[in-house]
Each structure stands twice: as C-alpha cells, then as structure tokens.
Amino acid sequence: MDVKHKLFGFSGRIRRLDYWLLSIGTNISIAIVDSLQTLALNGWDINALENSDNLASGGITLVLSLLNLWITIALMLKRCHDRDKRWGWVAFFLLVPIVGWIWGFIELGFLDGTQGRNRFGPSPKGIGGSEEDDVAKVFA
C-alpha cells in the first residue's frame, strides 16, 4: 500500500507504527502550512498568528482542517480494520467525548492488530498468510 492510499483511502489495514508516524507527521505538516499561509497573507507579521481576521486565511484554514479530518478518519478506519473492527468504531472514537477518545487512543495506538489475515485483508506485517496465498504465489 502506498502512502497516498494510506492517507486518503478507506480500505486495507495499517500497522501501529504507520498510524503514529502518519498521524503525527500530517498534523505537524498541516500546522506548519497553516501558520505559513496565515503569516504570508498578513504581511509576515508574527502577531497575525494569534488573531487573523483575513477571510482568505480563514478559508484556507477550513480547507486544511477538512483535509486533516479526512486523513484522520482514513487512518483510524484502517487501524480499526487491523483490529478487525468495522467503521462504526471510528464514529464512536470520534463522537463520544472522553470515553471514546481515551478508548480510541488506547485501541488504535497501543493494541496490536489481528495476527494474519482477517476480513479486511492480509496482515500489514506480512505474517500469517493462508496456505492458499502461498500456493497462488508458486503458480503465479
């Protein structure tokens, strides 16, 4: 699975390492881009980061926030798939204050995924494939 699919796709499974690196990297990147665009639109005035009334800056910030939400949901869904859970768990983790957030943090960030293949695909670690997969590789 390539990085583009990991960030924007909703199918497949990802490991905890990919989840953490992509989540942290995406949030840092979006924060930097948002800060730079706010500074650029306000004449590079450092005080603009605290209170920007620029409509263009607000629009770009909205677009970046929606992009961040999309990526967050995609990463969470693929981690749920790795834990053999459906999309409803992502809604629970995002929409239920305190309990859902803590449970999601632990479930997605610290607990290991299903060993081997599950209903969402093969293990992202590349272990535990079925015998049919091995036979198919031999005759491919």
Side-chain angles (χ1 to χ4, degrees), residues 33-93:
V33 169
D34 189 37
S35 297
L36 288 175
Q37 66 86 19
T38 300
L39 286 172
L41 289 173
N42 291 294
W44 298 99
D45 178 18
I46 196 72
N47 296 324
L49 291 176
E50 294 176 13
N51 53 357
S52 175
D53 295 332
N54 191 331
L55 184 60
S57 179
I60 294 171
T61 299
L62 176 64
V63 169
L64 290 173
S65 296
L66 292 174
L67 176 67
N68 193 26
L69 179 63
W70 182 282
I71 291 170
T72 298
I73 291 171
L75 292 173
M76 290 177 77
L77 184 61
K78 284 189 277 300
R79 272 302 294 153
C80 280
H81 287 173
D82 194 38
R83 300 271 308 138
D84 205 18
K85 297 186 181 314
R86 295 185 184 272
W87 66 268
W89 284 96
V90 173
F92 173 76
F93 296 149

